[in-house]
Amino acid sequence: WAIAAKFKPVEAVTTLNDIIIQVGRTGALTPVAVLAPVRVGGVVVSRATLHNQDEIERKGLLLGDRVVVRRQGDVIPAVVAAITASRTGKERPFRFPTSCPECDSPVERVPDEAVTRCPNPHCPAKTHNRILHYASRDAMDIEGLGDKMVGLLLEHGVVTSLPDIYELTVEKLHDLPRMGELSSSNLVQAIEESKKRP
């Protein structure tokens, strides 16, 4: 009974303020609900997944809607439904983008697939997320190559693609903001260690 209670869905009602689009490493455009912060299961939630364009349409969500948000266990919160009876007439529909919000390339959706994608192989968001995934614990486990560092490397043009991380040197890193001799050396060493991964 204690285990069942732990994973019992927890819900709350809040306002859907906006929907933003995140671009993943494969180019998938994922809509994310921006919510008025609300406590759900002991955690303050201000964002929730919406999965894809079809999900928004299926649930009939409008910007400004009062919505039910659910959190179960440690799963990312999700918008369950709009409370249509609470509508005032000020709500407005969300228009899914026809171009990538990161690189402005026209997006594509393959028939019979739910996912809309950015086809640009040089999209900065795709590059950022590819490097982040590659450096993660579940992949090459490169300590120090996290979200902020990847952003810094891309922003300063030190890295433009995944293979570029193996061209990094202490000298190249040392010129970047907030990068001293020790942190530069540690990152280069961590990248070198990744070459030994199976």
Side-chain angles (χ1 to χ4, degrees), residues 14-150:
T14 188
T15 302
L16 175 61
N17 289 332
D18 199 2
I19 296 174
I20 59 170
I21 301 293
Q22 292 181 339
V23 182
R25 65 186 168 89
T26 64
L29 272 62
T30 304
V32 176
V34 179
L35 307 165
V38 64
R39 187 168 288 279
V40 185
V43 175
V44 175
V45 171
S46 59
R47 299 211 174 182
T49 183
L50 289 170
H51 302 293
N52 54 52
Q53 183 177 0
D54 293 347
E55 174 110 343
I56 296 169
E57 292 170 4
R58 185 176 60 78
K59 292 178 178 173
L61 299 174
L62 299 177
L63 299 176
D65 265 343
R66 296 289 287 164
V67 293
V68 176
V69 179
R70 177 179 293 167
R71 186 172 178 271
Q72 183 171 340
D74 290 325
V75 178
I76 296 169
V79 174
V80 179
I83 304 172
T84 55
S86 297
R87 286 184 176 158
T88 63
K90 293 181 180 177
E91 297 79 12
R92 59 204 190 285
F94 170 73
R95 305 275 180 233
F96 208 86
T98 55
S99 59
C100 175
E102 297 290 337
C103 69
D104 211 31
S105 298
V107 296
E108 297 175 351
R109 183 169 173 183
V110 177
D112 301 325
E113 277 192 17
V115 179
T116 301
R117 295 184 193 279
C118 170
N120 178 5
H122 306 293
C123 173
K126 287 168 72 171
T127 303
H128 183 108
N129 287 308
R130 274 191 203 119
I131 295 171
L132 207 55
H133 175 74
Y134 182 83
S136 70
R137 270 198 193 135
D138 292 336
M140 299 305 282
D141 194 16
I142 303 174
E143 192 175 332
L145 196 54
D147 191 49
K148 287 183 180 175
M149 177 53 69
V150 172

Side-chain angles (χ1 to χ4, degrees), residues 1-11 40-42 70-74:
W1 180 86
I3 292 172
K6 182 180 177 184
F7 293 102
K8 184 179 178 186
V10 180
E11 295 180 346
V40 185
R70 177 179 293 167
R71 186 172 178 271
Q72 183 171 340
D74 290 325

